[in-house]
């Protein structure tokens, strides 16, 4: 059992608050944590992520830089530093940082994706940018959905201009599944004659897939969020509710776990696994 006053316990508590969108509690826990553990790169990174949500990208960048200084080999801190530079429209600085990361970690999907976007949109280096984006196409690495959407839209336009409408449509539907509010993706979908129902089906599959990946890596907080999203999008998806319940149980969210098992049974009265698990709970 973790010592409740230890750094590990503090990090776990903050991670749980963030995953459950309990922002005010996360802020308070972070302030207290940084007072007690002023050399923790993880806490500085969390602080940067929280500050970035307020669009204070300059302050967020400072936290990420501090995190990277405390843990130089942690790629995430370096990448988020580069991301903040791009948010501040300091594209040359961002690209320089991304190239440094790419040199040391050539398979880092998020780095290649962001660098590819900057090369195409800001520098006009289409061939270089497209090659970077294409190199991430088959990567199973996780990446923030909104960041991935921009790369997918660029690739979709690339294939559209080359009359490969089938590939362009596939990428556009994937982009909308990740962010249904993407104006560029929706415009491209109209041009390509896409099907909104198919997009929703892809979105549901994406949420289940991401949830499975998070669960496989032991990140039940992130996994339950994806399973919930899949169930909210399709209330007949008993499997999504069932998997959400499993993760919630691991997180000691007993009441919610039972509620999701009941939702799974309501969605599919013949889903025997849900009955069995509910009896165990």
């Amino acid at each position: 059992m973790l010592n409740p006053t230890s750094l590990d316990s503090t990090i776990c508590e903050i991670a749980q608050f963030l995953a459950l969108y309990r922002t005010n509690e996360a802020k308070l826990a972070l302030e207290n944590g940084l007072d007690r553990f002023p050399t923790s790169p993880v806490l500085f990174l969390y602080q940067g992520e929280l500050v970035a949500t307020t669009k204070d990208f300059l302050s967020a960048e400072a936290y990420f830089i501090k995190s990277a200084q405390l843990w130089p080999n942690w790629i995430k801190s370096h990448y988020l530093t580069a991301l903040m530079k791009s948010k501040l429209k300091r594209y040359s600085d961002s690209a320089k940082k991304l190239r440094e990361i790419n040199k040391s970690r050539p398979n880092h999907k998020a780095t290649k994706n962001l660098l590819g976007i900057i090369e195409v949109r800001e520098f006009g280096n289409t061939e270089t940018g497209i090659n970077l984006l294409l190199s991430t196409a088959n990567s199973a690495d996780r990446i923030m959905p909104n960041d991935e959407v921009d790369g997918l839209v660029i690739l979709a336009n690339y294939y559209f201009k080359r009359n490969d409408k089938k590939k362009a449509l596939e990428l556009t539907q994937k982009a909308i599944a990740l962010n249904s509010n993407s104006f560029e993706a929706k415009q491209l979908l109209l041009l390509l004659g896409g099907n909104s129902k198919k997009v929703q089906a892809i979105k549901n599959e994406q949420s289940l897939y991401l949830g499975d990946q998070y669960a496989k890596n032991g990140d039940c907080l992130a996994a339950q969020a994806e399973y919930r999203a899949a169930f909210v999008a399709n209330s007949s998806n008993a499997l999504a509710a069932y998997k959400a319940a499993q993760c919630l149980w691991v997180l000691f969210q007993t009441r919610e776990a039972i509620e999701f098992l009941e939702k799974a049974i309501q969605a599919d009265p013949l889903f025997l696994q849900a009955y069995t698990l509910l009896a165990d709970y």
Side-chain angles (χ1 to χ4, degrees), residues 2 4 265:
L2 289 176
I265 292 168

Side-chain angles (χ1 to χ4, degrees), residues 50-235:
L50 266 180
V51 171
T53 63
T54 68
K55 299 190 183 303
D56 183 358
F57 302 125
L58 189 62
S59 296
E61 179 191 14
Y63 285 116
F64 295 138
I65 288 172
K66 182 65 175 178
S67 176
Q69 289 171 342
L70 292 167
W71 189 357
N73 292 329
W74 196 13
I75 293 298
K76 186 174 183 179
S77 298
H78 293 284
Y79 167 74
L80 290 173
T81 299
L83 180 61
M84 293 305 102
K85 292 179 188 296
S86 73
K87 297 285 188 185
L88 292 163
K89 302 187 186 304
R90 288 161 37 204
Y91 298 114
S92 293
D93 290 343
S94 179
K96 181 181 178 182
K97 183 71 175 175
L98 290 166
R99 291 187 189 109
E100 290 173 0
I101 300 170
N102 193 44
K103 187 175 180 179
S104 62
R105 287 283 296 277
N107 295 320
H108 193 253
K109 181 177 179 178
T111 294
K112 285 189 169 184
N113 183 75
L114 181 56
L115 183 55
I117 292 167
I118 291 173
E119 291 284 6
V120 173
R121 288 186 171 170
E122 308 305 331
F123 301 156
N125 298 329
T126 303
E127 185 176 353
T128 300
I130 291 296
N131 286 336
L132 282 163
L133 292 171
L134 286 173
S135 70
T136 71
N138 297 318
S139 172
D141 289 352
R142 296 179 302 202
I143 183 172
M144 293 299 292
N146 287 341
D147 297 337
E148 189 168 9
V149 165
D150 287 342
L152 289 170
V153 168
I154 288 172
L155 284 177
N157 274 301
Y158 169 79
Y159 283 109
F160 179 60
K161 289 174 183 177
R162 282 154 182 75
N163 292 317
D164 189 344
K165 293 185 178 180
K166 182 179 178 181
K167 186 65 176 177
L169 179 58
E170 177 190 327
L171 291 166
T172 302
Q173 289 175 327
K174 186 177 179 182
I176 292 178
L178 289 168
N179 181 5
S180 58
N181 294 319
S182 171
F183 177 77
E184 287 181 283
K186 287 193 287 189
Q187 290 295 103
L188 196 52
L189 185 69
L190 289 174
L191 286 173
L192 293 164
N195 187 316
S196 59
K197 289 184 178 179
K198 188 171 182 180
V199 170
Q200 188 58 55
I202 293 170
K203 188 171 185 176
N204 293 343
E205 280 185 26
Q206 186 85 8
S207 291
L208 274 176
Y209 171 77
L210 286 173
D212 288 344
Q213 295 303 305
Y214 285 129
K216 184 179 178 181
N217 291 323
D219 190 349
C220 273
L221 283 169
Q224 60 85 28
E226 295 296 339
Y227 294 139
R228 282 171 183 260
F231 184 73
V232 168
N234 178 10
S235 59

